Amino acid sequence: MSGSADRLPRLLSLVPYLMSHPGAQVGEVAAMFGLSEKQLIDDLQLVWMCGLPGHTPGDLIDVSWDGGEILIDNADTIARPLRLGIDEASALLVALRMLAATPQLAEVQGAGDALPRVMAKLEQAAGEGAATVSSQVAVDVDAAPDALPRVREGLTKGRRLSLRYYVPGRDEVTPREVDPMRIVVVDGRAYLEGWCYRAEAMRLFRLDRMLGVDVLDVPADPPAEAEPIDVAQGVFRPSPTDELVELEVSAAGRWVAEYYPCEQVTELGEGRLRVALRARDRDWILKLALRLGDTGRVVAPPAMAEAVRQEAERALALYAHRS
C-alpha cells in the first residue's frame, strides 16, 4: 500500500490521464500506473471528493467506473499534466549528463545517440532556466588511462583480472585477483565491482586507483553468494562491528553528516553538529579528523581523540622541522 507522499503526485497525474483517455478500462489504467485494481478504485473514490472550494456537487470532480469503464468530468482545472520545476529539470539533466559519461554506455547499442536527443527534448520542455543551470555543471568520470580498456576486456570475455590496487587508507599497493561483474559510477567516480579473492567478498575498486590491470587466462567464476552491492546511498558502507566515533563539527564541517552514513546527528546550535559514525579503521578516522582541521574534533572514544591529537602534533612537528 502506497503512502500519502506517493499518492498525491499519482492523483495529479491520474486525473489528466483520465481526461485524455475517456472510457479507459479499470484494469488498463491500473496496469499503466503500477497499481492493483483495488488501489485504483481507492484513488478514484478520493478523486470523487476533490474539487474547487465550495464543495457543492458542481464544484467537485465527477468520476464513475461502472462496468469497468472510467469516465471523468468537471476536472478541467487540473487537466494539464504536471511540469517539472527548474530544480527538478536541472537535477534530471545533470543525471543524464553523468549517465552519458558512464563507461558502460558505449556497450549499449543506440544509447549514445538516444541520450543527446532525450536531453535536448527535456531542455526544450523545461525552458531556458533549467538548461542554463544544468549546463554550468561539469560531469567528469575519472579513470586510469589503461585500466578501463582492460577492465572492459575482462568483462566482455568473462576473464579474471589481476590488479595492483592502491589503498589510500593504508597507503599501500595490494595485489588482487578479481572476478569482474560490472562497472558502476558513483559521485562521478568509475568503479569495478567484482568478487575479490583476497577479501573473499564483493568489493568496489576505483579505476583511478588501479596501478596495473592484467586480463588472466582464467574464466571469471564468482561464487553463488556474490551479490551486487547497493550503491544508492554511496560507496562507504560501515559495518556494525566498526568502532563508533563521535565528532563535533562547526558549520564549515557539516559536510561530514551529508557525505558519510551517520548513526546519530545532533544539532548543537550556531550551525554546529555532533555526529556519531562508524570508523572502518583507525587510519581512516585520523585522516578525516586532520582533514577537518579546526572545523571539527573527535570527542569520543577518548583513546581515538588522543590518537588524533598525537597525529596532529606529529604533523605540525614535521612542518616545523622543514621550515
Side-chain angles (χ1 to χ4, degrees):
M1 180 67 68
S2 58
S4 58
D6 300 323
R7 199 175 190 187
L8 178 58
R10 186 172 70 239
L11 292 177
L12 292 174
S13 300
L14 177 63
V15 172
Y17 179 84
L18 295 176
M19 290 289 289
S20 60
H21 296 79
Q25 296 294 311
V26 168
E28 166 194 325
V29 177
M32 173 67 66
F33 284 84
L35 305 170
S36 66
E37 292 191 10
K38 180 181 182 305
Q39 286 175 312
L40 177 61
I41 297 300
D42 288 343
D43 283 352
L44 293 176
Q45 289 175 334
L46 182 57
V47 168
W48 186 67
M49 295 185 287
C50 298
L52 296 173
H55 308 295
T56 66
D59 298 318
L60 300 177
I61 295 174
D62 185 15
V63 60
S64 65
W65 51 93
D66 294 337
E69 183 180 76
I70 305 175
L71 297 173
I72 190 167
D73 195 14
N74 202 30
D76 295 335
T77 53
I78 57 172
R80 294 182 61 187
L82 295 174
R83 291 179 61 88
L84 292 172
I86 289 181
D87 55 342
E88 296 168 321
S90 299
L92 184 56
L93 284 167
V94 170
L96 288 172
R97 289 196 172 110
M98 178 169 286
L99 180 61
T102 305
Q104 283 178 299
L105 189 69
E107 302 169 13
V108 181
Q109 186 176 5
D113 297 328
L115 267 181
R117 294 198 300 270
V118 171
M119 289 189 286
K121 290 181 179 179
L122 182 58
E123 288 176 347
Q124 182 180 7
E128 183 180 350
T132 301
V133 172
S134 65
S135 65
Q136 295 174 351
V137 179
V139 178
D140 183 26
V141 179
D142 293 331
D146 58 345
L148 182 56
R150 291 178 181 270
V151 169
R152 278 181 174 167
E153 181 183 352
L155 285 166
T156 303
K157 295 182 177 180
R159 298 291 182 181
R160 187 172 299 172
L161 298 174
S162 175
L163 310 179
R164 290 179 59 246
Y165 189 71
Y166 175 65
V167 183
R170 298 192 297 272
D171 192 25
E172 65 180 18
V173 177
T174 61
R176 308 287 182 114
E177 287 198 3
V178 179
D179 284 344
M181 297 180 68
R182 62 173 179 164
I183 296 174
V184 296
V185 175
V186 184
D187 296 330
R189 305 283 188 182
Y191 294 81
L192 165 67
E193 180 185 56
W195 180 266
C196 175
Y197 285 89
R198 179 187 177 101
E200 296 186 344
M202 290 292 292
R203 289 291 185 266
L204 291 167
F205 301 95
R206 265 177 55 171
L207 267 64
D208 61 335
R209 290 179 180 166
M210 295 180 184
L211 304 184
V213 182
D214 292 316
V215 182
L216 302 179
D217 192 20
V218 178
D221 186 24
E225 62 266 29
E227 295 287 341
I229 299 171
D230 181 9
V231 295
Q233 301 301 319
V235 174
F236 178 54
R237 315 304 294 171
S239 167
T241 59
D242 292 340
E243 185 172 22
L244 186 65
V245 178
E246 295 186 9
L247 302 95
E248 288 186 3
V249 297
S250 67
R254 292 176 68 95
W255 59 267
V256 172
E258 300 169 359
Y259 195 79
Y260 297 110
C262 297
E263 298 204 354
Q264 188 175 4
V265 178
T266 306
E267 291 281 353
L268 300 178
E270 299 179 346
R272 297 180 302 119
L273 293 178
R274 187 182 183 100
V275 299
L277 49 76
R278 296 283 176 182
R280 57 192 176 202
D281 57 54
R282 178 177 176 274
D283 290 340
W284 179 82
I285 200 67
L286 287 175
K287 289 187 176 183
L288 174 60
L290 294 178
R291 181 181 175 189
L292 281 166
D294 62 357
T295 66
R297 64 188 183 95
V298 174
V299 295
M304 184 66 77
E306 176 62 19
V308 171
R309 186 188 66 78
Q310 293 178 2
E311 186 67 15
E313 287 183 348
R314 190 183 70 83
L316 289 172
L318 287 174
Y319 277 105
H321 176 72
R322 289 183 180 181
S323 62

